[in-house]
Amino acid sequence: MNVVVLVKQVPDTGSERRLSGSDHALDRESTEAVLDEINERAVEEALRIRETHGGEVTIVCMGPGRATEAIRKALSMGADRAVYLCDEALRGSDAVQTAKALAHVVGTIESVDLVVAGDEATDGRIGAVPAMVAESLGWPQLTHARTVGIEGTTVTVEREADAGLMRLAASLPAVVSVAEKINEPRYPSFKGIMAAKKKPVQVLSLADAGIDASEVGLANGGSRVLESAPTPPKQAGQRVTDDGAGGVRLVEFLAGQKLV
Ligand SMILES: Cc1cc2nc3c(=O)[nH]c(=O)nc-3n(C[C@H](O)[C@H](O)[C@H](O)COP(=O)(O)OP(=O)(O)OC[C@H]3O[C@@H](n4cnc5c(N)ncnc54)[C@H](O)[C@@H]3O)c2cc1C
């Protein structure tokens, strides 16, 4: 069972995140960057599948130079190798471009049975890249999984939806995106960290991956951020002292906010 895991390096949610002034792209240099937590869960799930079914786990990442730190973390958890798409022309790519580029990279890897991704990245929060990767590859997609099972050439997932729990099945190869409840990711061991330093990381340029530069990047995107402004500081709350009519004033307040 050869599993590819799509991982993304994202700004640490604890650090202040900014957009650059000129083109409103994410200012990645000014913040601490980490392997997205949902992607740690995706890596964990792939490792569990390998432990049961054998095969290899390959990390695929697209991002700027420092994304190698996120790749090393995934390798130190236990993944076997990585393919890293890194090219200045990718800067500012939107979700559609990102998904097409990732699908190209998956296409360069031999005998992939399953692609595992996070359901939503912490920074862009588009929540659509896995589905678009599946569309580009022409493979079935099972999204928002909280369990993943493999039986023969079939993958099954339990998907948590607003209306309840769905059980979905698809033929391999397929793309699965995982939700937060899927598992608790393991911590990299000291041995794992040392071993990761020697694991192969294949760096691909756009040309290596067979991607035309006119299909990616800020200038060629289908969506563009025209304007941005920092979130206004929080207003002080309104304190109501209960003098006997507190309940009524609370309901009036909620009604004024159109919350009841
Ligand atoms: C205002 C604004 C400015 C932006 N500026 C930039 C910018 O300058 N540079 C930039 O790179 N992005 C930028 N983005 C984000 C960019 O558009 C998205 O990050 C990207 O297109 C994918 O969307 P997402 O990460 O939200 O995907 P989601 O669909 O939320 O991601 C789900 C999963 O897909 C996989 N995935 C997503 N992206 C990658 C990746 N790169 N490599 C491997 N796996 C991946 C992961 O498994 C992830 O958990 C910006 C977004 C906004 C809103």
Side-chain angles (χ1 to χ4, degrees), residues 253-260:
F253 173 79
L254 292 173
Q257 303 287 321
K258 296 194 167 47
L259 293 171
V260 290

Side-chain angles (χ1 to χ4, degrees), residues 39-224:
N39 292 156
E40 289 185 23
R41 295 179 199 275
V43 173
E44 175 64 37
E45 201 55 28
L47 296 176
R48 290 183 189 193
I49 292 170
R50 187 190 64 190
E51 279 155 16
T52 312
H53 300 279
E56 272 203 336
V57 174
T58 304
I59 300 302
V60 166
C61 177
M62 165 181 146
R66 66 202 283 226
T68 44
E69 296 157 22
I71 293 171
R72 285 287 164 210
K73 171 127 193 226
L75 292 175
S76 65
M77 287 174 72
D80 298 286
R81 63 193 191 98
V83 183
Y84 175 28
L85 181 63
C86 182
D87 197 305
E88 184 49 35
L90 289 162
R91 184 179 177 279
S93 295
D94 64 17
V96 177
Q97 295 169 313
T98 300
K100 283 187 182 165
L102 290 171
H104 264 283
V105 176
V106 172
T108 67
I109 303 169
E110 251 179 65
S111 315
V112 178
D113 298 299
L114 183 68
V115 172
V116 183
D119 62 353
E120 181 181 283
T122 321
D123 57 350
R125 300 197 64 189
I126 306 277
V129 167
M132 291 193 284
V133 169
E135 172 71 20
S136 288
L137 291 168
W139 295 0
Q141 45 146 323
L142 305 177
T143 54
H144 212 61
R146 69 168 207 179
T147 63
V148 180
I150 309 282
E151 221 170 280
T153 55
T154 303
V155 53
T156 52
V157 309
E158 276 185 348
R159 179 180 208 268
E160 216 172 43
D162 289 343
L165 208 55
M166 301 173 182
R167 289 200 174 78
L168 306 173
S171 299
L172 296 171
V175 178
V176 168
S177 72
V178 301
E180 210 182 330
K181 283 187 191 158
I182 186 102
N183 57 42
E184 275 307 316
R186 68 195 68 186
Y187 286 108
S189 63
F190 180 68
K191 200 174 150 204
I193 293 167
M194 297 312 287
K197 295 183 184 187
K198 292 187 188 145
K199 288 181 178 172
V201 179
Q202 185 188 5
V203 182
L204 298 183
S205 66
L206 284 181
D208 296 333
I211 301 166
D212 195 320
S214 66
E215 290 174 15
V216 295
L218 200 62
N220 306 311
S223 61
R224 186 168 301 169

Side-chain angles (χ1 to χ4, degrees), residues 19 21-24 223-229:
L19 301 181
S22 52
D23 58 14
H24 312 290
S223 61
R224 186 168 301 169
V225 179
L226 299 177
E227 207 179 324
S228 68

Side-chain angles (χ1 to χ4, degrees), residues 220-243:
N220 306 311
S223 61
R224 186 168 301 169
V225 179
L226 299 177
E227 207 179 324
S228 68
T231 316
K234 271 193 181 164
Q235 302 291 324
Q238 188 182 329
R239 186 180 287 264
V240 175
T241 309
D242 186 12
D243 54 6

